[in-house]
Amino acid sequence: MRAVVVEELGGPEVLQLKECPDPAPGPGELVVDIDFSGINFMDTGTRSGFSVPGNPPFVPGVEGAGRVTAIGEGVSGFAIGDRVAWAYVHGSYAERIAVPAAQVVPVPDDIPSDTAAATMMQGLTAHHFVTESAPLAEGETALVHSAAGGVGRIVTQLLKLRGARVIGLVSREEKVQAAKAAGADEVLVSSGGDFVDRVKDLTDGEGVHAVFDGGGAATFWSSAEVLRRVGTLVYYGPLIGDIPTVRLFDLPKSIKLTYAVFADHIHNRELLLQHTGDLFDKIREGKLQIDISERYPLGAAEQAHADIESRRTSGKLLLDPSR
């Protein structure tokens, strides 16, 4: 099979298309022919050495969707040909993968494989943020960073379904419309932490009830500043720039701070099925749109990573192993 391999850590150029042995299912595993693999910003950190699944060589990528072609010992509830999707399984930039059955969800017949692949990591992350980390009530206000990006668009849509007001932040003027299309009530253009006064103006000086911040250390303190008292800062940006060092006494007011780690917030199969089931229901009902902005051939992973790091993209990026 073909797979994208990292043989040494570094920039996008280290992503090389190679011929690799076909996987075989171990106990508790399924082998899946991949229809689409999701590309996430965290994959750039894996490639460069921020968070590595093991010593090189390795195949990056953590999500995808496809069809079951082999079933390992001890696995029940799946059949050859079933359409499935998964999250947080390393090795997904490939034509084929062995995945733990416990981390796989069935894909409904009316959900396309590209949509399923694009929903898993970013959709599960956003869904947990909005239902667990900061479940805002009708009439409350949120500030959403990178509101034109994959996580930001889903967070915005899910917040609007709860009746919240959303102020979106985008890095460029050309991304404003995408954030508005996701449902943001107001959209501000900001490339750093210069949004504080504008957000306070939009909230009559009160600040917002929650901030969803994927902007890294450059925006952390400004995000804390625009929260109202006892507001919630949902922080998820450790791969962008430096990680902030936080002393509680330095916080500008009494706030709640959360950093959600995927393995903790979706920590068992019951939660995985619960969250994905709700996401698929909302997609089916037309309440949630999963925007796929680019589909790259498997051999174009280098270009995909260059595009995502340059902030030239918005929405979800996928690899198509059939190309």
Side-chain angles (χ1 to χ4, degrees):
M1 70 168 188
R2 299 181 306 153
V4 177
V5 179
V6 173
E7 295 187 331
E8 59 179 327
L9 303 177
E13 71 281 355
V14 305
L15 298 170
Q16 299 295 316
L17 191 63
K18 303 280 187 179
E19 285 291 334
C20 298
D22 282 332
E29 291 185 335
L30 304 169
V31 171
V32 180
D33 278 356
I34 299 175
D35 292 330
F36 294 95
S37 304
I39 302 170
N40 295 282
F41 197 88
M42 67 169 290
D43 299 342
T44 68
T46 300
R47 183 208 72 222
S48 60
F50 181 88
S51 176
V52 182
N55 293 326
F58 59 81
V59 177
V62 293
E63 70 176 339
R67 292 185 181 274
V68 176
T69 59
I71 300 174
E73 181 183 352
V75 176
S76 60
F78 294 94
I80 301 299
D82 282 355
R83 295 173 62 239
V84 297
W86 59 92
Y88 225 97
V89 180
H90 290 283
S92 297
Y93 285 12
E95 292 182 315
R96 202 163 290 113
I97 188 173
V99 296
Q103 290 173 250
V104 165
V105 299
V107 176
D109 291 340
D110 53 358
I111 302 293
S113 289
D114 56 352
T115 299
T119 299
M120 296 304 291
M121 284 295 295
Q122 293 177 344
L124 285 168
T125 297
H127 195 270
H128 178 264
F129 286 171
V130 172
T131 61
E132 299 289 341
S133 297
L136 297 193
E138 185 172 358
E140 293 184 325
T141 301
L143 176 68
V144 178
H145 286 254
S146 302
V151 173
R153 288 192 195 194
I154 301 175
V155 166
T156 297
Q157 291 178 77
L158 294 177
L159 285 170
K160 293 305 297 179
L161 289 174
R162 298 181 68 91
R165 174 191 178 193
V166 176
I167 302 170
L169 283 181
V170 297
S171 59
R172 297 177 182 176
E173 189 67 37
E174 57 265 32
K175 295 185 177 183
V176 169
Q177 189 53 46
K180 287 185 176 179
D185 298 281
E186 296 93 6
V187 182
L188 306 176
V189 180
S190 172
S191 59
D194 62 351
F195 52 84
V196 173
D197 290 342
R198 288 178 289 167
V199 172
K200 287 189 174 181
D201 287 344
L202 287 171
T203 57
D204 297 324
E206 291 294 320
V208 298
H209 296 86
V211 178
F212 298 84
D213 185 357
T219 56
F220 180 89
W221 292 106
S222 294
S223 291
E225 183 64 34
V226 299
L227 282 170
R228 62 180 59 201
R229 292 179 180 87
V230 202
T232 303
L233 174 50
V234 181
Y235 177 74
Y236 63 103
L239 298 178
I240 305 174
D242 295 330
I243 301 172
T245 299
V246 180
R247 294 195 320 159
L248 294 181
F249 285 132
D250 292 338
L251 293 172
K253 60 179 75 70
S254 298
I255 66 171
K256 292 175 282 188
L257 174 62
T258 174
Y259 172 57
V261 177
F262 189 95
D264 291 330
H265 66 237
I266 311 291
H267 60 84
N268 59 44
R269 181 161 178 76
E270 181 181 359
L271 284 172
L272 179 64
L273 292 171
Q274 174 187 320
H275 284 282
T276 54
D278 190 48
L279 287 166
F280 288 152
D281 285 345
K282 285 178 168 55
I283 292 168
R284 180 183 299 109
E285 296 163 4
K287 296 177 179 179
L288 177 64
Q289 303 295 320
I290 303 298
D291 178 74
I292 301 169
S293 58
E294 295 286 346
R295 296 171 176 83
Y296 297 83
L298 188 60
E302 175 183 349
Q303 183 61 56
H305 275 222
D307 289 347
I308 199 172
E309 288 184 323
S310 69
R311 309 291 195 277
R312 288 197 295 266
T313 61
S314 61
K316 185 66 179 184
L317 310 183
L318 296 177
L319 288 177
D320 180 353
S322 70
R323 297 168 58 196

